[in-house]
Amino acid sequence: GELGLREWFKPYGSADGAFVLSNTESGETVLVVRADHYAPVLQEISVPPGGAAPEITVRLEPAARIVVTVVDQNNVPLAGASVHYSTGSTWYSGGAQITDEHGNLVLNNMPTSSVQISAFHGNDASGPPVEVNPSKGEDTPVTLRVGPPQLN
């Protein structure tokens, strides 16, 4: 399972960012830590039955940003294109991933590992996902060209 911050963490109120896990079942789980401007961290943890879990330190790295521009086949920016990305086996999309009037979108808080990105506008797609490897603390630009599906 995945422990979500809102459901499982209760802050100590300390300035050092310490949190306490409560109401957790014993066994293996994945701790997910997310904070604005930092790359998300997924860390496997083991919660012992009936005992106190060991103290865990999670070090956050500055996040990468991916600056996406979606254009048509004539390099005209496309407003309202939906951008989808994957950082592994899960694809993310939604209302927040829609390009602005200039065909631009910024994906914040991205990990510094392989990210697959694709775009759609109406019935047109950008083709196979584009792989980018953003660097921490930096903007990585990517342009996606959207067009009608190609038939073989």
Side-chain angles (χ1 to χ4, degrees):
E2 179 178 302
L3 299 176
L5 291 175
R6 291 185 201 117
E7 296 143 18
W8 299 103
F9 287 125
K10 292 189 177 188
Y12 274 125
S14 64
D16 66 356
F19 287 84
V20 173
L21 291 171
S22 61
N23 300 324
T24 58
E25 296 181 17
S26 63
E28 302 295 319
T29 192
V30 176
L31 173 69
V32 179
V33 179
R34 294 188 173 126
D36 283 343
H37 311 294
Y38 292 93
V41 174
L42 281 68
Q43 182 173 335
E44 292 184 18
I45 61 171
S46 179
V47 179
E55 186 173 304
I56 300 168
T57 300
V58 177
R59 301 206 189 289
L60 300 178
E61 296 281 339
R65 290 179 6 137
I66 301 174
V67 180
V68 180
T69 302
V70 179
V71 298
D72 67 12
Q73 291 180 324
N74 297 314
N75 291 324
V76 175
L78 291 172
S82 62
V83 175
H84 306 258
Y85 67 92
S86 170
T87 58
S89 61
T90 303
W91 280 89
Y92 301 94
S93 62
Q97 281 76 24
I98 302 296
T99 57
D100 66 14
E101 65 273 11
H102 305 290
N104 297 320
L105 169 77
V106 177
L107 298 173
N108 291 302
N109 305 332
M110 300 304 293
T112 55
S113 58
S114 176
V115 178
Q116 305 282 323
I117 303 174
S118 62
F120 299 88
H121 190 263
N123 292 326
D124 297 338
S126 60
V130 173
E131 181 177 357
V132 295
N133 291 287
S135 298
K136 67 181 175 180
E138 294 183 16
D139 288 353
T140 301
V142 63
T143 299
L144 299 173
R145 185 164 284 107
V146 171
Q150 301 296 315
L151 299 175
N152 293 333

